[in-house]
Amino acid sequence: MKILHLDKNHPLLLNQLNDLGFTNHEDYTSSKSEIEAKIETYDGIIIRSRFTIDQQFLNAATNLKFIGRVGAGLENIDCDYAEKKDVHLISAPEGNRDAVGEHALGMLLSLFNKLNKADREVRQGKWLREDNRGIELDGKTVGLIGYGNMGKAFAKKLRGFDVEVLCYDIKANVGDENAAQISLSDLQEKADVLSLHTPQTELTINMVNSEFINKFKKPFWLINTARGKSVVTADLVNALETGKILGAGLDVLEYEKSSFENLFTSSKMPTAFEYLINAENVLLTPHVAGWTLESNIKLAQTIVDKIKTKFC
């Protein structure tokens, strides 16, 4: 079987696939149309997020047997059409779930203890102890929306704290010893912290909007390490301004990839984004929750193992 690698990944992926007898070709620079022109000769492709695998691409890939996505989500692939074409889809949420869980916990603790604000002030010669008095995670209720690999990993990381962990998921019976599964309305009634661990689907795009936020009984903290389009940024900012949301840790934004850099060179920076980058109770990271040295290895290994199980 011939495999075309469209993004660079950890070398073990290529090395182990070579050892298993696959023929591996690498093309990290050709345009999508140039790839389409030759894709019919390949049995498999390995991709991260270089471009969208749509119907046109899949129609050109007449011999394609699998797509390996080195990451958790498959939203850059037309999954329904791929399945109709009998193309096996492989992703690797197991590979970076621990990294995401640790990042979410780190964001939460940093927000609660004002670590970034305090660090910046000390470097500026300011010694403001009372202004940087934090709050404790113990005694809080943490609500998770989405209880798959990422949600379960975060819940496991919370076991060392005296917290109640609740989860809501569209799938039934996913709760475990680390999180009790409840309805969304019950979660909105009880949660002090909301952490998103959902894929990007029609159900989750713009999920966190003003109507959703206002259904929470208490002011709450928001952590999003999932997908930027799940949160309506303008509605989040409004909730931060009114105090309905106490603070936010955002690893993902609706303004990502090529559009993100343009925000800083354009004269039309969105008002909501300008608020976020100046807010002391907002912590921002560049979609790196699952991007650790260890997850780089684990993601590649997971893809190899799944290809081996299916095709060897």
Side-chain angles (χ1 to χ4, degrees), residues 113-123 126 132:
N113 292 283
K114 303 182 181 180
L115 296 184
N116 282 56
K117 174 180 177 294
D119 174 79
R120 183 172 60 253
E121 290 173 352
V122 171
R123 293 172 188 271
K126 300 176 183 178
N132 287 299

Side-chain angles (χ1 to χ4, degrees), residues 73-76 198-205 226-230:
L74 293 170
E75 63 266 20
N76 61 324
T198 48
Q200 183 170 302
T201 68
E202 292 182 359
L203 291 176
T204 62
I205 292 177
R227 290 293 182 262
K229 291 183 179 180
S230 294

Side-chain angles (χ1 to χ4, degrees), residues 189-210:
E189 180 179 352
K190 298 178 179 179
D192 299 296
V193 175
L194 172 64
S195 187
L196 304 181
H197 300 278
T198 48
Q200 183 170 302
T201 68
E202 292 182 359
L203 291 176
T204 62
I205 292 177
N206 296 332
M207 175 179 68
V208 180
N209 54 27
S210 291

